[in-house]
PDB file of all heavy atoms in Angstrom:
ATOM      1  N   SER A  94      14.108 -37.690  -0.829  1.00 48.00           N
ATOM      2  CA  SER A  94      14.301 -36.911   0.406  1.00 48.00           C
ATOM      3  C   SER A  94      14.411 -35.420   0.103  1.00 48.00           C
ATOM      4  O   SER A  94      13.832 -34.585   0.796  1.00 48.00           O
ATOM      5  CB  SER A  94      15.558 -37.371   1.138  1.00 48.00           C
ATOM      6  OG  SER A  94      15.417 -38.691   1.565  1.00 48.00           O
ATOM      7  N   LYS A 107       4.484 -20.692   2.774  1.00 43.00           N
ATOM      8  CA  LYS A 107       3.139 -20.232   2.447  1.00 43.00           C
ATOM      9  C   LYS A 107       2.282 -20.084   3.690  1.00 43.00           C
ATOM     10  O   LYS A 107       1.381 -19.268   3.720  1.00 43.00           O
ATOM     11  CB  LYS A 107       2.475 -21.185   1.458  1.00 43.00           C
ATOM     12  CG  LYS A 107       3.008 -21.055   0.054  1.00 43.00           C
ATOM     13  CD  LYS A 107       2.219 -21.903  -0.899  1.00 43.00           C
ATOM     14  CE  LYS A 107       2.744 -21.729  -2.310  1.00 43.00           C
ATOM     15  NZ  LYS A 107       1.987 -22.499  -3.269  1.00 43.00           N
ATOM     16  N   SER A 125       9.568   9.991  -0.970  1.00 86.00           N
ATOM     17  CA  SER A 125       9.841   9.860  -2.398  1.00 86.00           C
ATOM     18  C   SER A 125      10.893  10.881  -2.818  1.00 86.00           C
ATOM     19  O   SER A 125      10.873  12.021  -2.347  1.00 86.00           O
ATOM     20  CB  SER A 125       8.544  10.103  -3.183  1.00 86.00           C
ATOM     21  OG  SER A 125       8.803  10.323  -4.536  1.00 86.00           O
ATOM     22  N   THR A 136      -7.981   5.945   8.294  1.00 97.00           N
ATOM     23  CA  THR A 136      -9.080   5.588   9.182  1.00 97.00           C
ATOM     24  C   THR A 136      -9.814   4.399   8.565  1.00 97.00           C
ATOM     25  O   THR A 136      -9.372   3.863   7.545  1.00 97.00           O
ATOM     26  CB  THR A 136     -10.051   6.775   9.366  1.00 97.00           C
ATOM     27  OG1 THR A 136     -10.730   7.019   8.134  1.00 97.00           O
ATOM     28  CG2 THR A 136      -9.333   8.031   9.826  1.00 97.00           C
ATOM     29  N   GLY A 179      -5.838  13.813 -12.631  1.00 81.00           N
ATOM     30  CA  GLY A 179      -6.522  12.538 -12.679  1.00 81.00           C
ATOM     31  C   GLY A 179      -7.984  12.663 -13.057  1.00 81.00           C
ATOM     32  O   GLY A 179      -8.522  13.754 -13.230  1.00 81.00           O
ATOM     33  N   ILE A 189      -0.110  -5.184   0.060  1.00 97.00           N
ATOM     34  CA  ILE A 189       0.900  -5.236   1.116  1.00 97.00           C
ATOM     35  C   ILE A 189       1.639  -6.561   0.937  1.00 97.00           C
ATOM     36  O   ILE A 189       1.052  -7.626   1.069  1.00 97.00           O
ATOM     37  CB  ILE A 189       0.259  -5.144   2.510  1.00 97.00           C
ATOM     38  CG1 ILE A 189      -0.481  -3.805   2.660  1.00 97.00           C
ATOM     39  CG2 ILE A 189       1.322  -5.315   3.599  1.00 97.00           C
ATOM     40  CD1 ILE A 189      -1.314  -3.691   3.915  1.00 97.00           C
TER      41      ILE A 189
END
Side-chain angles (χ1 to χ4, degrees):
S94 296
K107 285 186 178 182
S125 165
T136 68
I189 299 172

